[in-house]
Amino acid sequence: MIRLALALLRRSRSRLLLAGLCLAVGVAARVLVGGLDARAEALVEREARNLFGGDLEVASFQPLATAIIEKSLPGSTQVNTAGFVSMAAGPAGAARPVEVKAVAPGWPLAGTLRLAADGSTAAATVPAATIHTAEPTCAVEAELLRLLALRVGDRLRLGQLDLRIAAVVAAEPGRSANPFQLGPRVLIDLRHLEATGLSGLGSRIRHQVLIRLGPGDELTAAATRLQDALGIPETDRQGDAGTPNQGVVVRTCRDASRMIAESIGRFADFLRLLALSALVMGAVGVGALIRALLAEQRESFAVLRTLGATPAGIIGIALIQASVLGLIAAVAGIVLGSAAANAAVGALHGLLGFELGYGLDPGAMLSGGGLGLIAAVIAAVPAAIAAGYEPPMAAFRASAVGDTGSASGRSRVATGLWLVVVLGLLFAVARIETSSWLVGGGYILAVALSAAVLAVLARILLPVAAAIGRRGPIAVRLGLGNLARPGYRPAAAFAALGLVAVVLGFLATYRASWLAEVDPSRRGDLPAYFALDVQSDQLDTYREMVRGLGIDDVQFGPRVPARLRAINDQTAAMDAADATTRESQRSRTFRNREQNLSWRSQPGADNTIVAGTWMDTSATEDPAKPVEASVEQRWAQQVGIGLGDRLRFDVAGSEVTATVTSLRRVDWLGFRLNFFVLLSPHALVGAPATWLASIGRCDAATKIRLRDASAARFPNVTLIDLEDTGRTAVDLIQRMGLAIRTLAFFALAAGLAVVAGLGLATAAARRSDAALLAVLGAGRSLVLTALAAEFAVLGLLAASAGVLLGIGTGAGLLGFLDVGLTVPWVDLAVIVAVMSATAAVVGVLACRSAVTAPPLAVLREC
Amino acid sequence: MAVPALEIRRLTRAYRLGDAILAVLADVSFTAGIGESVAVVGPSGSGKSTLLGLIAGLDVPDHGQVLVEGRDLAAMPERDRAAWRNRRLGVLFQSYRLLPTLSARENIRLPLELSGIARHAADLRVDDLLARVGLTARADHLPAQLSGGEQQRVALARALANRPALVVADEPTGNLDSVNGAHVAELLFATVRDDRTTLVLVTHDAALAAQADRRINLRDGRVVASGA
Ligand SMILES: Nc1ncnc2c1ncn2[C@@H]1O[C@H](COP(=O)(O)OP(=O)(O)O)[C@@H](O)[C@H]1O
Ligand SMILES: [Mg+2]
């Protein structure tokens, strides 16, 4: 049967190859994404120690004694470090927030620190000893030199300490793996920490002991031994997602690399969905192409039935042919995708600053190829069933192109079942690809809805276009007339191109909406700064200073660090092993990390109570009064709690149990001071609080004066410039945009391959049409114009419909995320124009034989 | 009396064309005994091809029955009908209907492969058939490389491959010139006579019809005359 299936395809080899290419593009996209993701995660895993700078660390907000560590980890090496965020000022007083790391000699214990003598970080040959001197010196990232207009050799002020900039940090273990940084790095020697005056009481300095294990010591066992020795309770050991608010946390390099891998994975999930979309588009095209291929063989199938083949036998032959096509797609896609992945490694080297590694990724190749093969077979099923059940007499009577016979009742039922199976499978794949029910479900919903709407629109728009074209000149009439010709399957091309446009329209809308929210140049309402770590006794003087500069809009909010211990008396912390879906991973992050509790008398203008009632904040004195909690709704959703749940927090060693009495919706993109969890004020009285402040908009000169004055008078307070943060976010979106655009390009290529494939499938019929026209005296330009008009209008209609659907999809997701909708009409118009034009070019090229073939030869063929 | 090879009972077939109903066959009945050859004659459009399609079980009648060796074709499960077509029926078309991508040999082999005969036995049978239709030298040519007469001889060999009990032929010489037509007809009649195969032959060629044991005259879907 396999031989027969192949023999029947002997004449269709080139079309089979092209059909394979439709899917190969999707396969390649999947292999590319899967390959890069696997390499990135393998790199993180392999380089875990080097990214972390050692094997594990003990961290606390109190200085740590190392004796106990030495005892429980014999043979290990340790080095003390401390990290905090602070303002750093140049000699002129200009200040910026920086991430300070104070390290003892010997740091790091793994990976390499590279210091350079000047901004050109390529030649990083300065020894680390340069910063471990009695004279206070520091190494800074080149970015800080740029921001403060400094050079190596200049002075830098950190709190009360004046340091000489001795070197530029060219590379630091793990630093580039974190895209969210509050400022450039400043490295100093640990012995100078005290002299900064920033390490006093109430400061938020994270003290760490970095450890390299002795030979033969196993990481997990060592971590457990250390936790036992430090007396860390079992419930506190899942702290890799957070920071310790009191007590001590042990973190391994594996914990850290898992978090990096998870964030890479989340982005890769998104890209995988795009790749899956390219695959779906390819499958739409392959479905139509296989239908055309099978229609050509209908007479052969009828003969086979006459010779005694059963319908099942014919279906088998058709599916074998589809598998051959799928194999071609898989092989071509794997080759293409692997090549693209390796090319991308080179391109990303420059962008990321490190190399992901060249090679092949068997996992990605297998899953990509497998998906391609499955997609081909599944796409072929309805046409195969129709071919199997077509009455032979009908096949003998009908001509090869045109009517394909009406589906029998049985094959209709089978096709309906098939649709259910397809949706189920697609959902399962989307769920696997994203490790998330929510994202997977949302995706399948969007795809199914888009496909259904496009199918309906094809039925309406294409005949209408053909009818309108009837009034035009002859070329337009002929060209658009083909849009209503079922044998040409214009609906399939419409659907494939439409889906491409949905993806492109969605991405453009989504990106534009986010950019409009975070781009500081388009947000006139952003506060100037967030101030971090204002001490309680500094509140009044700080407010005075800000007011003194003419800024009235300053709001303070207390922040009380805490840990969430229990929810309704059940342990809140989650084990990493239980977090298998993206949702549970996020839930784990939210539960295990340090919580910032706060209180306020009113919910605030940018807060809406969506459930329950706002707490009673009147009596602050009575400690016996029950404690209420008002929580932000997304936090509640992530953590998995609702109204009436009891939350037990550990606040500086004492327990506070609060009942959730209201859920709040917060307009986060208003960039005002907000907290996930607000408790009754009386519950937090006396707890160690630092204060955050949002400082309202002011002119640029005042902004600079405020920053420098704050740095000089309140060195412990860090000012976050929201304009900088916004620019960083814009930059991040742009950088992700590159990856997304690449994948979108794959989707477009898949859609165009479908157009080409369908064009080629109808080329023979078009040739005979053209030959007849030639006999009747028509010129080639007429045929050419007709073809171009047909495909251009097809592309225009499909792209317009798809883009509108894409906007709708984007609006849905953005609404879900509480992000305002911004429609980039110009971008979208360009997308529609480009798609229409490329569809015309590709379509004409695919059917070019209709224009070029000598009419006489064609007529002899018929 | 033995069961006839083929019995047609009051066969009726109509097509719906929009609102109109076109009655193509009305109340057609006849039988053909084992080894008997019957020619169905009638002008174009009289329903001859429709009748053959029904006999081959490729179409379903509105009323009436087609009994082959006593079994009602319409009552058989599709799988049995397929097996019957494969082993007991041979069909010859006016336009040959060879699979264009298969060589002459491969075309002839098809029914043997579908019936699952051992490869070696199939090879011998194909060689024998090729020799019988005089195409041994052209065995590996594609249909497009063969003349009409040669193609129809390949189709004949294919129809006879499984030694069918019933052969139906729809204008088998209609596309051929008289010399080639005569050659194919001679081969066809010689084989059915040798193997005692029942033959239903549709033609409007009186000379060809004369070679059959019996003639049935079809006009506007009705049998108007029947005789030896
Ligand atoms: N599937 C069909 N739908 C409608 N009319 C048909 C169909 N098949 C055959 N006919 C009509 O039935 C009549 C008999 O056709 P046919 O059996 O091919 O005649 P013959 O073979 O005797 O020339 C013709 O008028 C033909 O147009
Ligand atoms: Mg006929």
Side-chain angles (χ1 to χ4, degrees), chain A residues 456-491:
Chain A
V456 172
L457 284 179
R459 282 186 174 213
I460 299 169
L461 291 179
L462 296 178
V464 167
I468 292 173
R470 216 164 287 144
R471 306 228 186 104
I474 174 88
V476 173
R477 197 182 326 156
L478 289 170
L480 298 197
N482 286 341
L483 292 178
R485 210 156 142 173
Y488 283 5
R489 314 224 150 270

Side-chain angles (χ1 to χ4, degrees), chain A residues 1 3-4 7-11 299-311 391-397 410, chain B residues 15 49-50 53 58-59 78-79 82-83 85-86 89 91 93 97 99-103 106 110-111 113-114 119 142 158:
Chain A
M1 198 148 93
R3 227 157 19 99
L4 181 57
L8 287 173
L9 285 176
R10 262 174 209 161
R11 273 201 207 151
E299 193 184 317
S300 295
F301 290 151
V303 170
L304 286 171
R305 293 285 302 280
T306 309
L307 299 177
T310 57
M393 287 305 282
F396 285 141
R397 298 240 183 219
R410 216 160 152 186
Chain B
Y15 291 107
S49 295
T50 304
L58 297 173
D59 191 9
E78 177 57 43
R79 181 191 297 264
R85 276 200 289 268
N86 179 234
L89 178 74
V91 183
F93 299 97
R97 298 200 193 272
L99 298 202
T101 55
L102 302 189
S103 67
E106 288 169 324
L110 270 176
E113 273 181 54
L114 284 167
R119 177 182 291 242
L142 290 175
R158 185 178 70 182

Side-chain angles (χ1 to χ4, degrees), chain A residues 397, chain B residues 44-45 47-50 94 170-171 202:
Chain A
R397 298 240 183 219
Chain B
S44 178
K48 305 184 297 289
S49 295
T50 304
Q94 175 173 1
D170 190 352
E171 316 249 19
V202 158

